[in-house]
């Protein structure tokens, strides 16, 4: 799978493109503005492209005080230019209403997810203490540092290979209002070496007391992870569990069912999986009060090495 389309909605708002030049269009309801300046830039030095920097300044000058949600697309050629985190931080006093930020909304033709040069995204939370939703996408130099943020409700991290250090830093953060956590764990070939052991403090219920929706998506070792999740104490307070887009097969699906801790869920999302029809039927029948999504079944490749028979949805 690759990203073939940009976001059309974000944080419950329709996405409206920022014009390359000229005034912003008139909008009658709250929107998420999307700013993107694709530009092939091979200059030395990992800095945002001049074109993006100028476009961002024009946008903030026109709409800053009213901007509630912002989607940042291409910031030049993202494999050579680091994400404009410093510029976003510097603009914080002029964006007082910002509550939702998506950094990295790029499609395949603009930049492979594994190539996206991002940096440490946690300073965005320090710069915007009123932020409620943060979604970030990246691959190269993709980092997080432990942070305290009193108001963040939703954190989503999209990656084709999320390093354990990134996960540890998230779990070491103090996020008392966090209700939604989404982690794309990815493929070990792209740095996605996170295991159930790395997630142990989260699964034990020791982190994020307000958590109600947990999404551990795009995982290479999804069966192992499902076995760790199946009886995890954190499940007791969840409303939704999402283990979609990875390599989940019969072993993981049966572990989730046998654990007996999912019957209270409102929703279990396992779409894009490697579960056989028989076991998928067992899961659906075993959780009659739960909305179970087992759509988009995949077929294993015919490879002698079992490790290469299944693939996550998003890696490179």
């Amino acid at each position: 799978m690759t990203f073939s389309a940009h976001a059309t909605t974000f944080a419950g708002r329709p996405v409206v493109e920022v014009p390359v030049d000229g005034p912003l269009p008139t909008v009658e309801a709250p929107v998420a503005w999307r700013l993107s300046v694709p530009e092939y830039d091979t200059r030395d030095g990992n800095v945002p492209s001049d074109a993006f920097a100028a476009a961002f300044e024009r946008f903030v000058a026109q709409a800053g005080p009213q901007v509630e949600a912002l989607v940042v697309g291409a910031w030049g050629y993202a494999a050579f230019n680091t994400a404009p985190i410093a510029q976003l931080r510097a603009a914080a006093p002029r964006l007082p209403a910002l509550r939702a930020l998506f950094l990295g909304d790029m499609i395949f033709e603009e930049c492979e997810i594994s190539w996206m040069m991002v940096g440490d995204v946690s300073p965005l939370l320090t710069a915007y203490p009123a932020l409620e939703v943060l979604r970030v996408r990246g691959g190269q130099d993709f980092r997080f540092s432990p942070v305290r943020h009193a108001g963040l409700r939703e954190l989503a991290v999209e990656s084709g290979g999320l390093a354990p250090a990134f996960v540890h830093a998230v779990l070491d953060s103090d996020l008392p209002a966090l209700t939604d956590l989404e982690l794309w764990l990815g493929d070990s070939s792209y740095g996605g070496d996170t295991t159930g052991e790395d997630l142990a403090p989260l699964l034990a219920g020791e982190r994020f007391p307000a958590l109600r929706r947990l999404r551990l998506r795009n995982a290479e070792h999804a069966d192992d992870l499902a076995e760790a999740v199946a009886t995890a104490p954190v499940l007791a307070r969840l409303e939704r569990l999402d283990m979609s887009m990875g390599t989940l097969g019969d072993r993981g699906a049966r572990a989730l069912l046998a654990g007996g801790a999912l019957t209270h869920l409102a929703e279990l999302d396992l779409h894009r999986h490697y579960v056989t029809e028989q076991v998928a039927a067992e899961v659906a029948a075993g959780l009659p009060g739960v909305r179970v999504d087992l759509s988009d079944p995949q077929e294993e490749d015919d490879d002698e090495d079992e490790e290469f028979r299944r693939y996550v949805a998003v890696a490179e």
Side-chain angles (χ1 to χ4, degrees), residues 146-216:
V147 64
R148 171 172 171 75
H149 194 287
L152 190 71
R153 295 185 293 102
E154 301 179 22
L155 175 62
V157 183
E158 300 181 7
S159 179
L162 195 60
F166 195 119
V167 174
H168 293 165
V170 170
L171 299 188
D172 286 341
S173 295
D174 186 1
L175 306 172
L178 193 72
T179 59
D180 294 65
L181 178 62
E182 179 175 340
L183 301 174
W184 294 25
L185 301 177
D187 189 312
S188 58
S189 298
Y190 295 93
D193 297 319
T194 299
T195 65
E197 185 176 348
D198 294 307
L199 294 165
L202 172 67
L203 300 182
E206 299 169 0
R207 299 290 188 269
F208 317 135
L211 191 68
R212 297 297 179 267
R213 288 164 287 278
L214 177 61
R215 298 172 176 87
L216 301 174

Side-chain angles (χ1 to χ4, degrees), residues 1-3 113-114 137-138 157-162 182-194 199 214-223 225 242-248 269-274 298 310-316:
M1 169 184 163
T2 57
F3 297 101
I113 190 171
S114 64
R137 180 184 294 168
V157 183
E158 300 181 7
S159 179
L162 195 60
E182 179 175 340
L183 301 174
W184 294 25
L185 301 177
D187 189 312
S188 58
S189 298
Y190 295 93
D193 297 319
T194 299
L199 294 165
L214 177 61
R215 298 172 176 87
L216 301 174
R217 313 181 79 183
N218 201 48
E220 178 181 32
H221 301 293
D223 283 340
L225 183 58
D242 183 339
M243 300 191 68
S244 64
M245 298 172 54
T247 63
L248 188 78
D269 189 346
L270 304 177
H271 83 271
R272 203 275 177 195
H273 59 84
Y274 291 85
Q298 305 291 302
R310 302 178 188 177
Y311 302 92
V312 298
V314 176
E316 186 174 11

Side-chain angles (χ1 to χ4, degrees), residues 59-269:
F59 168 69
V60 173
Q62 291 183 62
Q66 285 77 44
V67 176
E68 299 179 358
L70 175 61
V71 177
V72 176
W75 50 78
Y77 190 50
F80 286 90
N81 294 309
T82 301
I85 293 172
Q87 192 172 13
L88 286 163
R89 292 173 60 196
R94 294 180 290 157
L95 295 169
L98 190 67
R99 296 295 181 270
L101 174 62
F102 179 2
L103 178 66
D105 179 33
M106 289 180 233
I107 60 174
F108 173 81
E109 290 79 7
E110 292 168 326
C111 191
E112 298 268 14
I113 190 171
S114 64
W115 297 357
M116 291 170 60
M117 187 85 69
V118 181
D120 189 343
V121 297
S122 54
L124 292 170
L125 292 173
T126 304
Y128 292 91
L131 202 67
E132 298 175 358
V133 179
L134 177 63
R135 178 173 288 271
V136 291
R137 180 184 294 168
Q140 288 194 75
D141 190 31
F142 198 25
R143 292 177 284 114
F144 198 88
S145 299
V147 64
R148 171 172 171 75
H149 194 287
L152 190 71
R153 295 185 293 102
E154 301 179 22
L155 175 62
V157 183
E158 300 181 7
S159 179
L162 195 60
F166 195 119
V167 174
H168 293 165
V170 170
L171 299 188
D172 286 341
S173 295
D174 186 1
L175 306 172
L178 193 72
T179 59
D180 294 65
L181 178 62
E182 179 175 340
L183 301 174
W184 294 25
L185 301 177
D187 189 312
S188 58
S189 298
Y190 295 93
D193 297 319
T194 299
T195 65
E197 185 176 348
D198 294 307
L199 294 165
L202 172 67
L203 300 182
E206 299 169 0
R207 299 290 188 269
F208 317 135
L211 191 68
R212 297 297 179 267
R213 288 164 287 278
L214 177 61
R215 298 172 176 87
L216 301 174
R217 313 181 79 183
N218 201 48
E220 178 181 32
H221 301 293
D223 283 340
D224 294 339
L225 183 58
E227 290 178 339
V229 169
T231 57
V234 73
L235 289 176
R237 52 188 167 89
L238 295 184
E239 299 169 358
R240 292 176 173 81
L241 175 65
D242 183 339
M243 300 191 68
S244 64
M245 298 172 54
T247 63
L248 188 78
D250 286 356
R251 176 165 62 91
R254 281 185 164 141
L256 290 171
L257 185 59
L262 306 182
T263 55
H264 70 288
L265 292 176
E267 181 178 346
L268 174 64
D269 189 346

